[in-house]
Amino acid sequence: MLEVRDLHAGYGELAVLHGVDLSVGVGEVVALIGANGAGKTTLLRCVAGLHRPSAGALTFDGAPLAARSAAAIARAGLRLVPSDRRLFPQLTVRENLLLGAHPRRVASADLRRVTALFPRLAERWGQRAGTLSGGEQQMVAVGRALVGRPRLLVLDEPTTGLAPPLAAELYAALASLRTETGITVLVAEQQLPRVLAMAERGIVLERGRVRHRGSSTELADDPAVRRAYLGVG
Amino acid sequence: MSLLDSAVTGAPLERREGLLRGYLPVVLAVLVLGLVPPLAGGSRYLVSVATLLVVLVTYGVAFNVVFGGTGQLLLCIGALAAVAAYTSALLSGELGWPLAITLPLGVALATTGGAALSWLAVRRRLDTIFVGVVTLTASLVVHNLLLGRRELTGGETGLVVQAGSGTALRDPVLGYYAVLALLAVGLAGHRAIQRSALGWAFRAIRDDAEAAALAGIDVARTKVLAAAVASALAGAAGSLYAHVEGFVSPTTFAFATVDVRVIVAVAFGGLGTLLGPVVGGVVVTLLDEVLRPLGQLRLAVYGAVLLVLFLAVPRGAVPAVGWSWHRATARWRGRGTSPAGGR
């Protein structure tokens, strides 16, 4: 579904990605693992059309993404939920969600699905998004992506800055979403146990290069990965 | 959601009210302005002041759509109006073409110009202040062309507009109703945008352009479209005014004459609100008239008065009235203080 081939990207003189290969198949959940500064966000921003790679190929459903705008990529069914959420702070929860399917009207079934997934949002329905807690904002961000009916949901560190119970709640919701809809997900994360519990495969990024790749169990058992990301070994 | 509330918050984002209630503020504003000629008691002076007021408000609606809507600081409303007006004046004067051709051509040229500036700004990813610098520069270029090409434009003495002479437009009262009709179209159009998917896109872009792109909103296209709509309205207002007056001069469309007043009017009335330009335009025009005897001192007093107004109602008069109304009605219903969605 998503193919990334030999991707190079950076900011001016600073090169961040040095030839990254990655693929996500239909129905898969793939974890993108790496420390701060490994290049996860840059990679996901390239995928979503927010950052222009310096070299390499990106295809979604076989079609190249290079020439397409972020909006066109989103409409094609690839939705990024960035780590800073990027909600519309002046708009209410409801309005944020309604904008997720622009210019279509959001089906009420889709809204109900989001509130079933995140019951808290129903309580905050008329509240401005800028006044929500971090966890609630993340729920709105994921909900806004979902009402656009994405075929590939891309999450950039969804639990950053969330208290552990909220992070657990978010992953529980994502897991149930996955069981219900079989949606394809690419998720960048630093918290290994949580993400590996949901993902089939993982890719470990280190300083802009793929260092390890394998099934979730392989990665969880790999001594080097355990040492680096689980603090044990 | 009360009528006033929907007019104040600008975009109800959903058809919660019926068609009639949605457009009622527009109808009321136009009806009130329509009473000016009968109440003026045949005073040509009052009608001409009112004509200028309605044109200023129409410019304000255009600026409100593009800046209040999408955050593009288009500081060339006067220049766009000049392009449309001079195009029509020159084509009719030099080539003898009729109004029915020259007016639309002028408006089309202004629309293209405004859209091109916006497209350039979007392509170059200019932020608000640089869009302001670029469009202000464009304004000065237009102004200097009008002054410099005097064999064509008559320089600072201006130009008599041939098109429209002998028609109803030249009658002061009918001319007034003509510019008022254009304002009605502008206000109704702004209302229609607020209620449409495009209005949603505006609010999203104004709040966070990158988030809007991630939600699938074509930011570039929306911005250029907003600039085109605003330029068309500003061009039409400037051109219509020129045909009503039968005369154009660079001063009519100068930055200090048009854009400064428009910014003050829209900022005072309430940026992005439907009726903000109407309220702001009336206040600016009244101030202008009241302070006229002061001569040179007028500008200083004008500035001081506006400063006080801005400090008293920083987000504009229309939203301020809306909040008080909302608070009053909320207290009446025993629900306590101001609403969360007050903005």
Side-chain angles (χ1 to χ4, degrees), chain A residues 75 86 88 90 94-95 102, chain B residues 13-14 197 207-208 211 216:
Chain A
R75 281 200 298 265
R86 299 316 276 254
F88 303 113
Q90 301 292 330
R94 176 179 144 277
E95 289 167 340
H102 189 90
Chain B
L13 291 178
E14 202 185 17
D207 228 13
D208 188 333

Side-chain angles (χ1 to χ4, degrees), chain A residues 110-119 122 173 176 180:
Chain A
D110 285 340
L111 284 183
R112 273 198 300 275
R113 210 156 54 107
V114 170
T115 47
L117 209 54
F118 304 115
S176 77
E180 280 166 33

